[in-house]
Structures are given as structure tokens and as C-alpha cells.
Amino acid sequence: MRTVISTAFVSLDGVVEAPGGEPGYRNSGWTFKDVEFLPEAFEIKGREQQEAAAMMMGRVSYEAFSPVWPAMEDFADYKVMPKYVVSTTLAESDLVSNWGETTILRTLDDVAALKETDGGPIIIHGSATLNRSLSDAGLIDRYHLLVFPLLLGAGKRLFSDTDKDTQKLKLIEHEAYANGLQKNVFDVVR
């Protein structure tokens, strides 16, 4: 069984929308505009590339990342690993040709079936809607969260507001940095 890891930049009030400057959000670019950059706070991002065996994302994140990430040296390790896009609307003809093997999954059942296969961890980048759906379905095993000392108010949230039973998490790694960022790594308790 494979481990599904959600990795996110998240504000203290739970917003994950447009951390890198994606257009259309009032506070777009909040990760680099409002908090001093400290390289040590982002160590986990390089580690994720080394430890992941595949990457998963929703359609919106795929459409944002696929034109840019294949050419970026910072994301070179992701170029060669298999990618899975969870989408009911993306067509095979919409996939870029320079980013390695990419498979479209149409349902959460497809994600559950993928989890049952052999292989290493699958990392989820961006993909707020996908994260909420996978979390609600019990398909996420671990969270890698870089929590920014910001309150952004409105915006896409990492977690849904679905009325559901309590889900316990176990803190397995954490660190606070001089710029106020906090790294929190949680395993989902089953």
C-alpha cells in the first residue's frame, strides 16, 4: 500500500490559495511577499522530491504547474517521476509532452486503487479541492505543512467544512523558524 502525502503552504487560518502568485486571488503571492525567506524553513521541499515516488494533483494545479515546472531546476526530480492528475474534465490531449509519464484518474475510487498498488509515496502539491476530497474520503496518510504567520481571511482552504467524525493526527516532526514559519508533519491516525 502506498502512502499519500499532502504538502502545503498554509496560512494560520487555513488558506492555501495562490501562495506562489497565481492570478485571481486578492492576497496572491503571500508566501514570498509577506514573510522573510529563510532557506532552512524550506528544507522539507527538497526532501519531498527525494522521497516521493510519484506526484498527484488536481486539474487546476496541473494546468498551473505543467507549463512552468518541467523547465525549472528547482523541480528537476519531479520531471522524471510519474504524475497522476485527478480530473473529470481534463483530456489526454491537454497533457504536456515534456513532463514525463502522466496518468489521468477520474474518480476517488481510482485514487484508492492506486494507493493499493506497490510503490513509494505519492506527494500532492497544491490542489485545494483534491486535498479536501481525499481528506474527507480518508485517502491521505500524512500532511507536510509549512504554516505561515499570516491571517488571509477568505480563500481556498486545505480542509473542508464537512460535518464528519474527528480525525486524529500524530505530530511526527516539527520546527519553528525565526521568520515565524512552522513546519508540522502529521501522520493520520487510523
Side-chain angles (χ1 to χ4, degrees), residues 1-3 53 114-122:
M1 181 180 236
R2 301 177 82 166
T3 302
L114 176 63
K115 272 188 62 128
E116 295 297 324
T117 63
D118 292 332
I122 302 168

Side-chain angles (χ1 to χ4, degrees), residues 8 18-19 40 94 113 115 150-152 156 176:
E40 60 271 22
D94 296 325
K115 272 188 62 128
L150 302 169
L151 300 175
L152 298 174
K156 292 179 185 175

Side-chain angles (χ1 to χ4, degrees), residues 25-182:
Y25 176 60
R26 175 184 180 175
N27 294 313
S28 185
W30 50 270
T31 58
F32 60 86
K33 288 192 310 192
D34 299 315
V35 178
E36 175 193 1
F37 178 76
L38 293 178
E40 60 271 22
F42 295 89
E43 170 276 332
I44 193 167
K45 302 322 255 168
R47 188 168 19 127
E48 288 170 349
Q49 286 188 68
Q50 297 299 312
E51 294 174 354
M55 183 167 53
M56 182 180 293
M57 65 207 97
R59 179 192 52 82
V60 172
S61 291
Y62 178 80
E63 289 174 342
F65 298 156
S66 64
V68 180
W69 281 21
M72 291 181 69
E73 187 62 34
D74 287 346
F75 302 115
D77 291 331
Y78 286 137
K79 187 170 184 172
V80 297
M81 73 175 56
K83 281 160 276 309
Y84 299 93
V85 183
V86 183
S87 173
T88 58
T89 59
L90 194 70
E92 292 288 332
S93 61
D94 296 325
L95 299 176
V96 299
S97 61
N98 64 338
W99 205 18
E101 175 190 344
T102 304
T103 303
I104 300 172
L105 304 176
R106 298 293 181 195
T107 67
L108 293 182
D109 288 340
D110 292 342
V111 175
L114 176 63
K115 272 188 62 128
E116 295 297 324
T117 63
D118 292 332
I122 302 168
I123 194 107
I124 303 168
H125 281 283
S127 309
T129 301
L130 177 61
N131 265 287
R132 290 190 299 271
S133 296
L134 293 176
S135 178
D136 288 349
L139 294 172
I140 294 179
D141 302 297
R142 178 173 294 154
Y143 292 95
H144 290 185
L145 305 178
L146 278 181
V147 182
F148 284 70
L150 302 169
L151 300 175
L152 298 174
K156 292 179 185 175
R157 308 277 173 181
L158 181 61
F159 300 103
S160 78
D161 58 4
T162 301
D163 186 16
K164 60 183 177 181
D165 291 337
T166 300
Q167 176 65 69
K168 288 192 67 171
L169 304 174
K170 179 181 179 186
L171 184 66
I172 60 168
E173 183 181 344
H174 65 91
E175 192 161 349
Y177 302 95
N179 62 357
L181 258 70
Q182 296 178 29

